[in-house]
Amino acid sequence: MKMLTLFFIIALSTLSINAQAFTFNNSAKLVFSQDEVLVNVAANCTNLGITNEELLSLVGSAVDNFWNQSPTSRLKLRKGSVVNVAAAFHTGEICVSGTNCDPNPILKVTNDILISCNENTVNFPSTAILGVTIPNNISGSTIQGALVLINDQAGNQFEDKTKNEKISIIAHELGHAFGLGHSKVEDSLMYFMTMSKRVALGRDDIDGISYLYPKQQPKAGCGTVDFDGGTGPNWWSGLFLGFSIIGLSELFRKRKNNTKAI
Amino acid sequence: MTNMNKIIKPTFKPIKLSALLLTTLLLSANLTYAANKAPAGNRQADLNVSLGNLCEYIGTYQTDSDGSKNTCSFLPSLALSYEYYFTPKFALAPQFGATLPKKGADDTINRMTLFALANMKYRTNYVNLIGGLGFYFTRISGPGGEQELNNGSGTDSFPLPKEAVYSRNVIVNLGLGLDFTDTFSGELYTYIFNATESEDRAFSIGAALTYHFGDVL
């Protein structure tokens, strides 16, 4: 029977299963350093057919229904507020002309994520392009700020989308803002096309945000135990925990036996 | 740049077989057998190995274009546990295990999970109650390089992940076990992720068949 058990273990251990692939939005792995990132909305939309407050409400749904649902990621996006920005955010190019999309310094976002409406035809050569996003304030491998531009041209197709589609479009662009690129997996939010019934992240999205922002529980507090992780599993803490309990129980048993002997 | 103006079609359905099989096995077991016979691993200590299936993050992520969410997929798990009984009914049972690595169809990503749990086990006349705390590590890695993907108005190169990254969750484990014979038992359990945070709380459900080696250490 033991041999049979061993056989099944070996047989199953040879199996492998298909998974999916996510990518990064930049030439390198760039991330926000903080666990919570605000998403603010610029008060400059004219052709979206919704108010600034309604757009901010969509942002709240986008972060709550999508990215904040990942159980293995530390990043939490928070709905910010409606802010006033320079007119250039509505008219300017997101990249410097003639470059491989070097961020336009005029549109530099100081911190967190800013969603702005924009009608520039270089950014949006077609009304079918709904949004463009780049982290445009980078220090080393850290994103300080990122800019999301929504197509605000007259006749834009964002306006005609359902509420749920608008939410998923914003969520998709936010994925770019914190560092994810497109996914080849169609069920993924980060797939380049929309899905009419997109209601949650795909598994590939969860893998992507978890790769960029791995959750590290428990967080280190006072004391000297180092629970920092992210690049390797902290087996020692698990071993320490398990064998401490075994050791304590052994002590407990011996004391109990000694008491009986007396 | 994003072109979101087209409708896509679903491409895959999750595989749901091993969990169903193991669950059926558990539910069809004869309870009176467990009540009248010596339970599996009925010793002061017991080394055992479990083979099962883990259904990760039930209802958390979308699986098709109709808005369906995940139920259970094929993810075999293997675990080693050492139970130490300090009363006839109560045991401490640290457990270590892993799920089998998943390899991408295009070799772009590998994912596997590892877990280390400090479980407690309490025997009743019919079932074994299992509870504990532990760590759940998710390992994600890729080959690096770039992938050419559609970018709305054309294609673009997107970098792929390279070095392995681990996320680490503290999980709560709750389960029920049933002794089939002196050497075999079955368990149903759930891992609760982010138990104190409603925002991203998630549940994984598993079923396992356990072989008990007994007090061999």
Side-chain angles (χ1 to χ4, degrees), chain B residues 101-114:
Chain B
K102 287 187 170 185
K103 197 167 185 62
D106 56 355
D107 284 336
T108 53
I109 184 173
N110 293 303
R111 182 179 66 235
M112 72 175 295
T113 57
L114 313 163

Side-chain angles (χ1 to χ4, degrees), chain A residues 9-29:
Chain A
I9 292 168
I10 292 170
L12 274 170
S13 67
T14 59
L15 293 175
S16 66
I17 309 138
N18 291 338
Q20 295 89 36
F22 56 88
T23 62
F24 304 141
N25 194 26
N26 301 83
S27 57
K29 179 184 164 188

